[in-house]
Amino acid sequence: LLVGPDAQDIDNRFDVSTATDRLEYIKFKGSHSIKDINFRENIRTFAGIRAESDRGDFIVEESSVKGFFDIAGIKSPGLSAAPAITLAAIDLLKTSGANLSLKDNFITPRKHTLFMHLSAEEKAKKIAEDDRFGRMICRCEMITEGEIVEAIHRPVKATTMDAVKRRCRPGSGRCQGGFCGPRVQEIIARELNKDIKDVILDKANSYILTEELKK
């Protein structure tokens, strides 16, 4: 369950902490919209940071440096505005003199397997083709080993725990990776031929394992 968000102006661009008073504020406001929210179903809290434009609007323009374009200050409506922003950016490139041509080998959205949404017949066929789809790794989200391997080997490889989580959701369920985390780490290490201690959570130095305590 996700409830929120709120928003605060802060000066520290690295501060992604959450605070009890703000969570209580979100509960208070959320209950105005939906009564009797079961906040016990909220198992994790998140915070993010975005740059705020001093213009009160999106910045979509060529900068004072020719050929450098600012697409910045994009707030929440940016998700739905993204296609229009893209077209505006293309127009800016054309106006600036860029030589644009359509790619003959453009890759349309890449397909990936959503095993839990397949029919029984489709699941059986997929497992017959690759038995890794018959091994359930994340029981909360019903994610198979085959889906994780697919995510790791996409053209832009998923090489960290959080990268795999964002691609196909293992660790997003009730246990938050308590059950599947070690197995996902093993799969990443195996598929990328890495030492398991070199498989990190997300950013540099976000190590998970350092050494064995017992032999």
Side-chain angles (χ1 to χ4, degrees):
L1 176 68
L2 293 176
V3 182
D6 72 337
Q8 284 182 293
D9 293 331
I10 61 174
D11 296 322
N12 184 349
R13 61 178 179 164
F14 300 105
D15 183 6
V16 290
S17 62
T18 57
T20 301
D21 63 323
R22 302 309 301 175
L23 296 174
E24 291 301 322
Y25 173 79
I26 289 172
K27 287 182 181 181
F28 174 72
K29 286 293 187 180
S31 297
H32 282 53
S33 299
I34 303 175
K35 293 182 179 180
D36 302 321
I37 297 175
N38 182 6
F39 290 103
R40 289 175 60 85
E41 293 183 3
N42 186 313
I43 56 177
R44 198 170 183 182
T45 58
F46 302 87
I49 295 176
R50 64 185 177 197
E52 179 79 12
S53 167
D54 59 4
R55 303 185 191 179
D57 199 358
F58 297 175
I59 299 174
V60 183
E61 64 187 22
E62 187 169 13
S63 71
S64 57
V65 179
K66 186 169 179 58
F68 188 93
F69 299 86
D70 287 319
I71 313 294
I74 312 298
K75 298 175 71 173
S76 298
L79 185 62
S80 54
I85 293 172
T86 302
L87 295 175
I90 291 171
D91 287 339
L92 287 172
L93 287 166
K94 290 178 180 177
T95 303
S96 183
N99 183 20
L100 304 179
S101 59
L102 292 174
K103 290 178 64 176
D104 294 329
N105 60 342
F106 178 74
I107 300 174
T108 56
R110 298 178 177 90
K111 295 180 180 179
H112 59 281
T113 304
L114 295 173
F115 189 79
M116 66 182 296
H117 294 303
L118 300 179
S119 67
E121 293 77 13
E122 290 170 328
K123 287 177 179 177
K125 180 181 178 181
K126 197 72 179 176
I127 293 171
E129 294 171 351
D130 185 340
D131 63 5
R132 291 175 296 189
F133 285 94
R135 291 193 282 274
M136 195 65 63
I137 302 299
C138 176
R139 295 181 180 179
C140 297
E141 293 294 297
M142 304 295 287
I143 307 301
T144 65
E145 181 178 354
E147 292 167 273
I148 294 169
V149 171
E150 276 188 351
I152 293 170
H153 291 296
R154 289 186 193 176
V156 178
K157 293 183 182 295
T159 62
T160 68
M161 296 288 286
D162 277 358
V164 171
K165 179 180 178 180
R166 294 184 186 109
R167 297 281 180 87
C168 61
R169 303 190 330 279
S172 297
R174 186 74 192 176
C175 82
Q176 289 292 286
F179 176 82
C180 66
R183 284 292 292 121
V184 174
Q185 196 174 8
E186 290 173 356
I187 293 168
I188 294 172
R190 181 195 73 206
E191 293 298 314
L192 299 179
N193 195 26
K194 299 174 69 169
D195 188 307
I196 195 167
K197 295 193 294 295
D198 294 329
V199 178
I200 59 176
L201 180 66
D202 186 18
K203 300 176 182 177
N205 299 319
S206 60
Y207 60 85
I208 300 169
L209 301 176
T210 56
E211 60 182 317
E212 288 189 28
L213 297 179
K214 294 181 179 180
K215 291 289 187 181

